[in-house]
Amino acid sequence: MAAAETLVRGLARLLQDAGDLVLDGSSTLTLLTPTLQHLTQVFEHHLGSRNQNRGFVALPSHPAETAAILQAQFLFDVLQKTHSLKLVHVPNCVLQSAVKIFPFKSLRHLELRSVPPHCLRGLRFVYSQLESLTCCKCISTLEEIISACGGDLSCALPWLELQTVNFSYNSITALDDALQLLNALRVLDLSHNKIQDCEHYLTTLTELEYLNLAYNFLSKVPNLGIFSRSKLVTLILRNNELDSINGVEQLVNLQHLDVAYNLLLEHGQLAPLSTLHCLKKLHLEGNPIWFHQNHRSAALVHLSPRAASSNFFLDGKPLSSSDLMHLPRLVQSVSESIHTSASEKTALDRSALESSCAADFSDSQSPAENVAVRLPRKKSRGKIKVRRASISEPSDTEHEPQTLSLSAGLVLQHQKEMKRLASFRDRFGAEWLQYKRHLEEPDQVPVISRSRSADEIAGRPPAMDLQSESSDPEQEKPQVDEEESSLPLNDTEKEKEPEVQLDESVEGEQRDEEEADELMLGEEEEEKPEVDLCQPVLVSQIEGEGDPEPDWIFLRVTAKHVIEVELKAARVLHKLELKCLQNVETSELSWKRMDLERVFPVLTLHFSYIRKDRQKRKYVVLDDCPEQCLQNVLEVLSPAVEENRRNQDQEKGSTKFQCLKCKQEFSQSLTPWHQGSHPSEVGDTKILELLLASNQAVNGVLNTRDFRSVDHRLKLYLDMEVFEENAEEFQCFLKVVMVKFGRQGEFLSILVASDLRIYVLEVTGAIRGQPADWLKKTGSHYMSDISHLEVGLCHQSLRMEFENPKASYNLLIRNQSCCDQFLQTLTDLMQELPAKHRSKVKEIPTVEMNPQHWLWPLLDPKTTDSAAADDTCFFYLLAYLIQGTSAFPVTLLGTRTMLFLLEENHQWQVQPSLDEDHEAEMPPRSNIQLKEKQPITSISNVITYRLYPCDIKLMLYDEVLKVESTWHIRTECPELLVELVEWIRCPWEEMFSIELRKAVYEALE
């Protein structure tokens, strides 16, 4: 009871001071569920059962007998007028009774965090007035909170005022009919759930403007009602399993669409965007199409002309100037493709009318023509076309629209045939004639004769052909060579102007189509032609269980692919990789061809693709000898299937990955991130247990010898998550323990250098799994901002300082050769920078052992002069002292007679220049702390390990105290341990006149 009184007293004092913010709705009152339970008990004790009433309760105006009753009355009055409430339940706390919200009579906004819905009481009294409802980590179905009102278990009634619902971070697997009760809902957030299909439940929402279904398992765009389709402004579907966005074309007023991190494989799947004229933001990052090198340009092709502008944001970035350069051409091509079929005749009539009046308007251009002039043009292969104005009577151009249509049809058909044959020869090379027999099947119209049947197709008499002539005589000559001699000269002149305009429009359309194709193909270089392993086979694809497709195709089999080739244009339709072929099946199909029903062989190929439309390909063989052709294909495909099965058996138990950026494949089991046991948690900041495993062998991810060779997954992580500039390229990295000025202790990190910046990535956990799980970016500096570089004592550390912002780092490399090599690599990168961006570093000094150094007092004064000490006077080693399973960073300093174990403070910053009065001042002695010292003569044995060349044990014996001890030293440079043994051996053997005892063990015990 005392705890409850204390709680009431503290809460009353808080609301007396800041209650106005709660009462006016500008702040939310947040209570823990045990707190509300205590308050409920206080109200029931002092105020009786009045808090159970449905309406607002007026408290008695006469003074209360005690302060507790006054405080309870005050709290009850405030809670009745509170507009916004947030209830939080601690998951590990067990609720002893129900959580009652009866006192909150004026509630408008309710937020529940981890509150079990069956324990909530009183929601049925306020649900009709709630404007927003948030449930996080509470529910698994909508019905338990919307229909049943939590623990009230009331009848389902409409929520009249509810406009915002946030049910994110729950365990909802499916929607239900409870959404029918939300008639006024405008905002719905169902992100971070487990929903697989929305079915028809969202169609009942008529006022919806914002819908968030991110981080679920949706495979298609949710279906909305007819009213919400016109009102929805924001649709967020990121991190689902969408392989198409069909359905968004109905959302005519959509402004923000987020379909990032889904399974969109081709830019052609963005076609529904062309109807979204109000779209302002589009997110596609993380999809396979996002890794296309021309992703932005290819995506802009499918935008609505009215949406694509400088205010449009694609993947979070506004359209750049290079993107805007494409807009006029793209807008024109899209708009032409939409309106060409509907306005073709009108355009021809207008061109004929302009040609008859060309003398009056030859110096002016329409806005459309101005756009066309600005478009980039390819160089003309023919002669320069000269425009000639003709002055004619209206009667002379009476039949020109029909004449132009026929001439245009002949020219266009001829150009298409010539281009088709040229591409056919280019595609199949010298062996293209082997496909010719398939083009002249008896039941098909001859290919060349198609261009001569334009009269019959258009329904015009052949005589009309005598009234037209191409503006380019060389192009028209193969078709109208015979008619050209009989054409009157005046008719030719009258028709030149409109035909030039038509020819340009046809070329413009073809040019736009070619440019769009180039964008979709990524402007990549053409692949080298692959050699066929058997003769191409004429087939027809069967979709599902239906009949064969009317468009026949060639099926080619090469050493790497099964290729589907278009019959007429010789265009590659699909390339299916042989290494993905899992099984080959044959069957028969009865099909009517050429009025004769016969049985054809059927070939079925099964692939291991993720895309459903590429997993199974079914063909009916239509070649002259279908059985023999099928047998030839099987002889080629069967060995590939057997090899794939053998590879699958070998790869069982491992997970294969493919980089979406460079297509490189790798297996998780082949390149482990971390070798050795998982280290325990780090306690003391000085204990670096992560080094225990990484120093035993060369790690598969972080090779400390090759600075430019990095694991593929880490390289991809750097490109996608770390680098801040679009054009940044990885150059080198260094796995190193470092000390940052102003931060206590050492920390393991990866120093990454690109061609522009240097990044400091702190290793925050075990080096395994995804890099994002164990790396954290703690520093980013331009390479040009390096203001100082300095090599540490004995070349075992490297110090660097940056400006803008100012930061100082001490890289404790603990390896002389590695330090020198990395410094050389870094200086080479700095020299490759442009002259105006090069660093201000002119020279790189090296720390020397002199009287100003804090280790100088420990040296033997007999072996050093007053100026400096060379390497023959001391031995310096940055290492680790191993005690049990912990590693402590230490400095081992050796003189000719003593060995010191020191804790050295590696905090470093460039010191300002000292004046003459302070030049002789000594640095503070707090830079070192003596842990232990032993005379060299106390060493009784030296133990090294063949499999662990970085470890050494010095066995010590104190003859005075009769105590044995061991120094287990681990370093990152085996050569330094060899030097240490040699440093100890010389004075030891000189002292005892016997050979130092050294033992070599196989491995650590």
Side-chain angles (χ1 to χ4, degrees), residues 869-897:
D870 55 19
D871 293 345
T872 61
C873 302
F874 70 97
F875 180 83
Y876 181 79
L877 175 65
L878 294 178
Y880 297 94
L881 178 64
I882 306 301
Q883 294 181 348
T885 60
S886 301
F888 297 88
V890 295
T891 298
L892 191 149
L893 179 66
T895 66
R896 286 301 179 184
T897 58

Side-chain angles (χ1 to χ4, degrees), residues 121-136:
R121 299 286 193 277
L123 183 59
R124 60 192 177 96
F125 295 140
V126 296
Y127 81 96
S128 61
Q129 65 192 36
L130 283 181
E131 297 177 2
S132 69
L133 175 63
T134 299
C135 294
C136 178

